[in-house]
Structures are given as structure tokens and as C-alpha cells.
Amino acid sequence: MSTKTTLGIFGLGTVGTGVVDLLRDNPQFDIRAISVRDRAKQRDFDFSEFEMNQDPFKLADDPTIEILVEVAGGIDPAYEVVKRAIINGKHIVTANKEMIAKHGPELFALANQHKVTIFFEAAVGGGIPLISTLQRGLQANKVSRVAGIVNGTTNYILTKMEREQKSFADALAEAQAAGFAEADPSDDILGRDVVYKITILSSLAFQAPIEVEKIYRQGITEITDLDIKLAREFGYRIKMIGLAQRGENPGNSDALDVRVHPMLVPLTHPLAGVDGVNNAIFISGSAVGEIMLMGPGAGRYPTASAVVGDVINIASAIKLPDFAQYFQLPISSNVSQVMPIDESENGYYIRLETHDSPGVIGHLGSAFGNHGVSLHSFTQRGVTEDGTATIVLLTHRVKEKQLQAALKEITDNPTTKQIGVVLRVLS
Ligand code: HSE
């Protein structure tokens, strides 16, 4: 009998090719078959030595395969393929953040029932060993906060816009060409990719699942070069952040404060120095204090590194009886509530356009004052030919619902042309 661990690989895109390339010469593994969407597609490597098919359910049903490696992404058909493979007694290694975020609890329960494991290190943070850190390394801690830059594409875009004065569109096109962006880049720039990732991180950090659709999300498409420049002058850099923390609301104390939006990160905060396609996760734990893990968050080999690490971990234990039970996730089946964004508390950066007329500043001051919003800094940038003044303000920390009430009063005033962007400040 072969002593090699047998694998089926589903997906041969950017990550899949990296995985097969790292595993192909490893004598410990036997890649039995690879399932692809399009067999005829031109690839960066010659994979003709492998059996290829276009039906991933064949992998799920193949009794000679011990581990199914799912690197196809998306829900359909990955979710059904993975379920079938679990029922057929296969261990799963997946990079699929959307599937784990949306169906993780159900898949973990199914895996427990069938005495197999699901490893998903590559689902968040690309090559950074982050999932295993939360699952195992930090077990002695009560985690109070996870704040992360977990999307390489948006971090790459914001860095390029700042450092090279690139337009948003040019920076996005470069990220796509480099293979970081999702198939549909709106998942990156509108924040859906970060929602999936913070859902997974929150579930691990607080040991309770949360629902993807309850998470507030704001993308980076409204951010201009002026915002990046002014944020810097105020002492911040703008970063796309996934945040998960225990709520501070006494009336709703069990609810978690989980959200995804760009934030002004103080230049003194370690997350402010994370550039390009790098990801970083800042974790506050009761025993360890504060730690930050940083590294390449996307790309062929960094992500393949995490996938292959999982494969090797499973292979090292696969011959032991009942090993799967030692990898059960300690996640409760009770879904945790997510605090509504209105209840969150933040400092705010607000860019708005007004008519350049007497009393505008007085009106803004009263609108903020009427709702208990205290201003921290203020600047007015020039006046355009059509008489538009751009005003940028920073507030002290205040509840979101108070800020929104002030913004409504400001919008309703005829001197206001439009609110350009509202960003939150990390504290
Ligand atoms: N599009 C993702 C990113 C790939 O940019 O981070 C890794 O999940």
C-alpha cells in the first residue's frame, strides 16, 4: 500500500497553480486528479502529467483521495463539492473565505459528524499563519479586539494613490494585472472580501459565529487623493479595515462590534505602516497584550504556502486514529449578535462641499453642537469658480447616531451642496 497521502485538487487558477507547483515534487504526496473549469485554458505551467477533469464531484466521490484541496473559490459548486467530500470521509483544505464565512458552522458540524477536519489557513491573510495563531497560539487569551488590513488589493490601491499619485482606476488595473484582485474586483473595492474575512476572524476570536449579512460595509471608491493628503496632514493614513471587537454598549452588552470600512489610522499605529499588497492583523489579548502579524496577503505563492501548510499538517496526523477530534473548532453553535453601526462610537473625518457664503461655518458649528458632536480639527480648501468651498473636519469620538443626526441637519441646510465622504478614525 502506498504511504503517500492522496490529494484531489479542485481549482487551477492563481492559487491552485501555486499549490500544485509546490506539491508536485514532494514525495509525501500523490495528486490523484485535478478538477478545472476549463481544461483547454492556457496555464503558466505544464500540468500534462496530471489527470484532469471538469467535474469536481468526481474528486469528492473518488475513494482513493484522502484530502480534497478546494482552491476554486465562490459558493457554486464549491460548497456542494465540499459537503459531498466530507460525507465521503475526506479531509478538506480550502482557501474559500466566502464559503467558510457563509457556511462555516454547518460545514464544521458536518465534518465533526464524519470525523474529518477542515483547514482554511489561506482564507484570511494569504501567507500569514493567522488562523492557526487564533485557533491554537492564542488559546490562553480572552481576545478583545481584532483589527486588520486583510485585503491586499485595496491596500495596494491606497498605497499607490498615496505614494505614486496614481488614480484609483490605474492602481486597480495594476492590482488586477498582478493577480491580487478577485475575479470581480467589486468584492475588493466595495469591501465584501473583507466582510468574509472579518466574519471568519471574529468567529475564531470570540468563538461564536456571526452572520455575514449583519456586518456594516463601506468601500473605498469615494476616497479621493485630497482625502489621502489631508488625512496625512492631520496625522493619519487611510486604510481599509476589518474590525471586530467586544461591544461597549451596556444596553446590548453581548453584541459584537464588527464592521468593514476605510479608517484613518494614526501614523503612530503599527497598521499605518503596512503598505502595498501586505496584510496585517492587530490582535489585543488578555494575556499576550497586543500583537501584529504581517505579511503578503494575496498572490500565488504566499496563498499556496498557507494551503500547502494545511495539507502537510493534516498529512502528518492522518494515519493516527481519531485525530480529527483534536482539531474541532471550539465555536459555539449560538450565533452572536452584531451591534448596529448606529450604536458604534468613533472619531470622524468629514469632507463636504458648501456654497461659499456668510454663516456657513456658523451653521455647521451649530448643527454639530446641537447633536453633541465636538470638533477636533477643521480646514477649508479653496473655492472653485462656481463658488464651492470644500470643508474638511475631524470630530472627537461620538456615537454614530449623533453624527448622522448632525449630518442630516447639515444636508438639509441650503448652504450645503453635498457630503463628499465620511470616514471613521481608528483609536
Ligand atoms: N482579492 C484578495 C485580496 C485576495 O486582495 O486580498 C486574497 O484573498
Side-chain angles (χ1 to χ4, degrees):
M1 199 181 92
S2 165
T3 54
K4 293 185 176 191
T5 301
T6 52
L7 310 173
I9 313 276
F10 173 27
L12 203 49
T14 304
V15 179
T17 46
V19 169
V20 176
D21 192 43
L22 290 184
L23 284 170
R24 70 196 316 171
D25 296 324
N26 187 324
Q28 202 188 343
F29 297 102
D30 175 7
I31 298 175
R32 309 286 297 183
I34 301 174
S35 189
V36 292
R37 223 159 290 178
D38 176 8
R39 261 160 96 165
K41 188 176 149 186
Q42 224 21 55
R43 299 183 200 275
D44 296 346
F45 299 93
D46 175 14
F47 290 126
S48 54
E49 74 204 76
F50 298 107
E51 184 195 316
M52 294 244 194
N53 65 54
Q54 288 183 221
D55 179 2
F57 288 96
K58 276 192 179 160
L59 305 181
D61 289 336
D62 183 338
T64 70
I65 289 175
E66 293 169 290
I67 303 174
L68 176 78
V69 179
E70 186 275 307
V71 279
I75 297 296
D76 183 24
Y79 167 60
E80 292 298 336
V81 171
V82 163
K83 271 204 307 194
R84 174 102 65 99
I86 291 171
I87 290 166
N88 287 336
K90 297 180 200 324
H91 301 283
I92 307 294
V93 173
T94 178
N96 194 327
K97 58 222 149 188
E98 184 177 358
M99 181 180 71
I100 296 295
K102 290 182 176 168
H103 301 291
E106 176 206 338
L107 292 175
F108 300 141
L110 191 67
N112 291 351
Q113 193 188 329
H114 291 274
K115 299 190 169 33
V116 294
T117 58
I118 304 177
F119 277 34
F120 50 97
E121 184 62 73
V124 187
I128 309 171
L130 167 62
I131 303 292
S132 53
T133 300
L134 277 169
Q135 266 181 281
R136 293 187 272 284
L138 292 176
Q139 279 197 83
N141 290 263
K142 185 170 177 184
V143 174
S144 55
R145 180 191 240 194
V146 178
I149 295 171
V150 287
N151 182 269
T153 300
T154 45
N155 205 43
Y156 183 90
I157 291 172
L158 292 169
T159 305
K160 286 264 168 193
M161 285 174 74
E162 180 180 348
R163 294 274 155 91
E164 298 173 28
Q165 282 83 48
K166 287 247 154 90
S167 71
F168 175 82
D170 285 350
L172 171 61
E174 281 185 35
Q176 285 177 291
F180 308 140
E182 294 301 302
D184 174 359
S186 66
D187 276 3
D188 295 303
I189 60 181
L190 300 181
R192 280 191 290 267
D193 179 77
V194 183
V195 165
Y196 300 144
K197 291 168 175 171
I198 201 68
T199 299
I200 297 171
L201 295 182
S202 177
S203 303
L204 292 172
F206 305 120
Q207 305 192 346
I210 53 172
E211 290 162 322
V212 161
E213 53 287 354
K214 298 277 164 62
I215 298 173
Y216 173 84
R217 163 173 70 82
Q218 175 191 13
I220 63 162
T221 51
E222 292 167 328
I223 296 169
T224 63
D225 48 352
L226 178 67
D227 298 319
I228 289 175
K229 188 162 166 276
L230 288 181
R232 185 93 193 184
E233 285 175 21
F234 285 134
Y236 300 90
R237 292 183 81 195
I238 300 177
K239 295 286 178 192
M240 182 62 163
I241 300 288
L243 185 68
Q245 54 193 359
R246 292 187 192 274
E248 292 164 1
N249 181 354
N252 198 0
S253 57
D254 289 342
L256 296 172
D257 182 9
V258 186
R259 42 203 163 99
V260 169
H261 45 58
M263 293 190 100
L264 271 70
V265 177
L267 290 171
T268 49
H269 193 288
L271 284 172
V274 178
D275 275 342
V277 73
N278 278 326
N279 281 193
I281 296 88
F282 193 81
I283 304 171
S284 306
S286 55
V288 74
E290 291 177 336
I291 60 166
M292 188 168 93
L293 305 173
M294 189 185 93
R300 172 173 289 157
Y301 288 106
T303 313
S305 158
V307 172
V308 173
D310 280 350
V311 170
I312 293 171
N313 269 318
I314 295 181
S316 66
I318 206 165
K319 307 290 184 229
L320 302 173
D322 290 340
F323 93 94
Q325 65 180 304
Y326 298 107
F327 290 97
Q328 314 285 11
L329 295 178
I331 293 181
S332 136
S333 51
N334 294 330
V335 171
S336 197
Q337 295 307 305
V338 175
M339 182 194 280
I341 190 73
D342 273 4
E343 298 295 330
S344 72
E345 216 177 283
N346 305 278
Y348 295 88
Y349 166 102
I350 302 148
R351 170 171 49 78
L352 45 92
E353 288 174 6
T354 69
H355 291 279
D356 183 32
S357 53
V360 167
I361 301 298
H363 151 64
L364 288 176
S366 353
F368 284 119
N370 289 343
H371 298 280
V373 181
S374 173
L375 297 181
H376 178 280
S377 313
F378 169 93
T379 185
Q380 176 165 339
R381 286 288 148 142
V383 178
T384 58
E385 276 175 11
D386 70 345
T388 304
T390 297
I391 295 175
V392 175
L393 309 118
L394 271 189
T395 77
H396 286 289
R397 265 174 81 86
V398 66
K399 254 212 174 128
E400 175 108 5
K401 63 178 156 203
Q402 289 171 257
L403 190 271
Q404 293 301 342
L407 291 179
K408 170 145 191 352
E409 190 175 323
I410 290 165
T411 310
D412 289 346
N413 190 292
T415 61
T416 304
K417 288 195 165 182
Q418 66 163 349
I419 310 268
V421 75
V422 177
L423 303 172
R424 297 163 185 88
V425 179
L426 185 73
S427 53

